[in-house]
Every structure is written in structure tokens, then in C-alpha cells.
Amino acid sequence: MNDIKVTDCPSRSGGKEGGFRILITGCNGQLGNEMQLLEKENPLHTYFNTDVAELDITDEAAVNSFVSDNRIDGIVNCAAYTAVDKAETAKELCTSLNTVAPAYLAAAVEKRGGWMVQISTDYVFDGTKHTPYVETDTPCPDSVYGSTKLAGELGVSKFCSRTMIVRTAWLYSTFGNNFVKTMIRLGQERPELGVIFDQIGTPTYARDLAAAIFVAINRGIVPGVYHFSDEGVTSWYDFTKAIHRLAGITTCRVRPLHTSEYPTPANRPHYSVLDKTKIKSTFEIEIPHWEDSLQECIAQLKSAKE
């Protein structure tokens, strides 16, 4: 990612001299943790890192009080209900976190003339396209998770005029539970794994997404919908093969599976490659290839064990 100098930032109110007072929700999740790491490289701003223990974003009164009392200038909403399969039978909770809560945050920060970054997903598309999705493609979610995230997009856009929506895909990091860490664990435990090969997309290292968000904040939020993932294209099967190769796992055979061989409660897009042209040109960023970022993440995981 490009390094953005403080002098590139527009005028701000309330934070350290020249800086924003930024509320980050979902700070205990993958992206929230990566945002906290990068806060150290962006000391100009004042940060309020919260998860449900510090702020229940489904409580409208609590949100309004927190944003007002702490004079919040901007919100990065990393909080979400992301258990895709469980969402099919937990629609009320999923809607509360993915649709209702973001609208509360957006309305609260709008009262202060602030901005919001809302994280969304490739699941707003049904995956029937065969070329990378652009921001102007019509969403067509095929799951409760995707539907609630799309409704969340519409809500934040309605209630906050300075909203930046960032759709991402296949997120992983050194934090929390995710596909990369699961495949490493299973690869070390089992002699054989079956992994779906006919779902195509792009893995995204959460640290790369966090870096892009900071670039946008420092250059100045430009409202609109943006797509962000790492560069390149792969399948879950090929992703797993790369994970095992980079992690030095040689004793586990990985077999390709059709989606039909591994039925799940929620439908998943068969093709959800995102076109990143808009975010790259708007904020002048370079995005690494997914395998380069995967190598970095696995190196971090290895060093943490040493």
C-alpha cells in the first residue's frame, strides 16, 4: 500500500491536531484487530476500539450517546454477523447486526457531519456472472447473510451522506478463526481433505484491507461503493493447495470436490471475483497478489509459534 503523508489529509475536527476521532466497531474480529495494529502507524487520529462489551451497536440509544459523548468524526464498522450457514436459521440476529445496527451508526455520525466506512461482502451477488463484478452490477443475494448485508449497505447510504461501502471477499488473517488457519490445522491432523474446486474468487488478507481503509481515511473519504480483495483469482481447492505448500504441509492429500458433494444450508456464489479498478484509481493504491499476502500471513503465524 502507498504511504500517505499527514499533509495529504483534509481538515478535521475534534481529534489530535489535524486528526479524526474514529470509532472502530468489531475490534475483536479479524479486520478490527488488523485496524488496531495499523493504528500505530497512523498516530494522528484518536481511536475508540469497541466490541459488544464496550458498545452494543444494536442499541440505538447507546450508539447515539457514544458517538455524541466522544465527539466521533468517523466510524469504521467492522462488526457483523458472519456465520453464513447459521444465518439461515438466525435471521433475526443476523438482521439486527448486519442491517439495523449499521443504520444506527450511520444516523448517529451523520448528526455530527461525519463519515462512515461500512464493510460489505461479495455475497450481495449470486455468483452467476463469469467476469469480475463491478460496483454498478445489480446485487442479487442468494442467502440470508448476503441479503442482510445488502440491506445494511442501503441503510448506511440512506442515513449517512458520507458513506464509503467496501465489499470484500474470502477474508482471513492471523486473528480469529478463518479458512487459512483451519486448513493448516486440518492439514496437520488428517491424511486427506476434500475441498470445493468449483467456487471461484479471491482471498483477501485482512491487513491489506485495513491498510486500504487507512489510505481512504487519510486521503479523504469519497462516498460510494467500492470493491476490494487481493489481486488474482483462485478456487477454494487451489487456495488450500497454496496454504499447505507455504505452510510446509506435505502429508495431507487434498482432493477437489464439487459444490454438490458438500451441501451447506446457505448458497454460496460460484463466481465472486471483484473488480478493484475503482478503489485503486480513486485512492491511488496498489493491491498485492493473494499468494504474496498469504505467504506473509503464514510467515506471521509461524513466527508467533516460535
Side-chain angles (χ1 to χ4, degrees), residues 109-135:
V109 80
E110 175 73 7
K111 293 175 185 175
R112 290 193 42 78
W115 48 264
M116 182 165 171
V117 177
Q118 169 70 6
I119 308 304
S120 193
T121 174
D122 57 327
Y123 279 64
V124 300
F125 300 113
D126 62 9
T128 57
K129 198 179 176 188
H130 300 290
T131 56
Y133 282 94
V134 296
E135 291 81 357

Side-chain angles (χ1 to χ4, degrees), residues 152-222:
E153 290 185 12
L154 299 174
V156 295
S157 297
K158 177 181 178 181
F159 291 109
C160 180
S161 57
R162 298 174 64 197
T163 290
M164 178 179 175
I165 294 164
V166 184
R167 294 172 181 154
T168 192
W170 297 26
L171 204 65
Y172 69 91
S173 79
T174 58
F175 298 99
N177 297 318
N178 55 66
F179 187 81
V180 170
K181 293 168 79 172
T182 298
M183 290 302 103
I184 290 175
R185 176 177 58 81
L186 293 178
Q188 292 169 339
E189 294 174 352
R190 301 183 184 180
E192 184 174 292
L193 282 175
V195 182
I196 292 170
F197 79 94
D198 58 355
Q199 291 177 18
I200 307 300
T202 308
T204 306
Y205 187 22
R207 194 162 304 179
D208 294 335
L209 176 55
I213 291 169
F214 270 111
V215 171
I217 291 170
N218 290 335
R219 285 198 178 276
I221 295 295
V222 180

Side-chain angles (χ1 to χ4, degrees), residues 225-287:
V225 178
Y226 298 85
H227 289 172
F228 184 94
S229 69
D230 285 328
E231 298 282 21
V233 177
T234 192
S235 68
W236 291 111
Y237 167 78
D238 291 299
F239 188 22
T240 302
K241 294 287 285 185
I243 292 167
H244 284 189
R245 174 170 50 79
L246 292 170
I249 297 171
T250 59
T251 56
C252 180
R253 175 175 175 255
V254 182
R255 296 183 297 103
L257 296 179
H258 290 91
T259 297
S260 59
E261 296 177 81
Y262 191 77
T264 57
N267 292 326
R268 286 161 168 77
H270 276 273
Y271 183 92
S272 62
V273 178
L274 301 175
D275 187 302
K276 280 83 67 175
T277 301
K278 181 179 178 182
I279 198 167
K280 288 190 290 187
S281 60
T282 301
F283 299 105
E284 300 180 4
I285 61 174
E286 294 182 4
I287 302 175

Side-chain angles (χ1 to χ4, degrees), residues 5-183:
K5 296 180 180 178
V6 170
T7 51
D8 289 332
C9 302
S11 61
R12 303 172 167 100
S13 64
K16 299 170 187 175
E17 185 176 355
F20 286 127
R21 296 173 67 85
I22 301 174
L23 166 60
I24 295 177
T25 63
C27 72
N28 292 335
Q30 293 187 88
L31 181 58
N33 270 296
E34 297 291 1
M35 291 292 294
Q36 290 183 78
L37 282 181
L38 292 183
E39 287 172 8
K40 300 169 187 176
E41 299 176 17
N42 294 270
L44 179 69
H45 311 299
T46 300
Y47 301 98
F48 298 82
N49 298 303
T50 67
D51 215 288
V52 65
E54 295 78 28
L55 174 63
D56 179 1
I57 61 173
T58 67
D59 183 333
E60 184 176 17
V63 168
N64 283 324
S65 295
F66 191 98
V67 170
S68 175
D69 294 348
N70 292 291
R71 307 189 313 281
I72 299 299
D73 299 307
I75 298 174
V76 181
N77 183 27
C78 303
Y81 187 97
T82 58
V84 177
D85 289 325
K86 291 181 180 179
E88 294 296 307
T89 54
K91 186 173 182 180
E92 185 175 349
L93 177 58
C94 191
T95 299
S96 180
L97 283 168
N98 293 349
T99 302
V100 178
Y104 290 161
L105 292 166
V109 80
E110 175 73 7
K111 293 175 185 175
R112 290 193 42 78
W115 48 264
M116 182 165 171
V117 177
Q118 169 70 6
I119 308 304
S120 193
T121 174
D122 57 327
Y123 279 64
V124 300
F125 300 113
D126 62 9
T128 57
K129 198 179 176 188
H130 300 290
T131 56
Y133 282 94
V134 296
E135 291 81 357
T136 53
D137 284 329
T138 302
C140 185
D142 194 25
S143 65
V144 169
Y145 170 69
S147 296
T148 59
K149 290 298 285 184
L150 177 59
E153 290 185 12
L154 299 174
V156 295
S157 297
K158 177 181 178 181
F159 291 109
C160 180
S161 57
R162 298 174 64 197
T163 290
M164 178 179 175
I165 294 164
V166 184
R167 294 172 181 154
T168 192
W170 297 26
L171 204 65
Y172 69 91
S173 79
T174 58
F175 298 99
N177 297 318
N178 55 66
F179 187 81
V180 170
K181 293 168 79 172
T182 298
M183 290 302 103

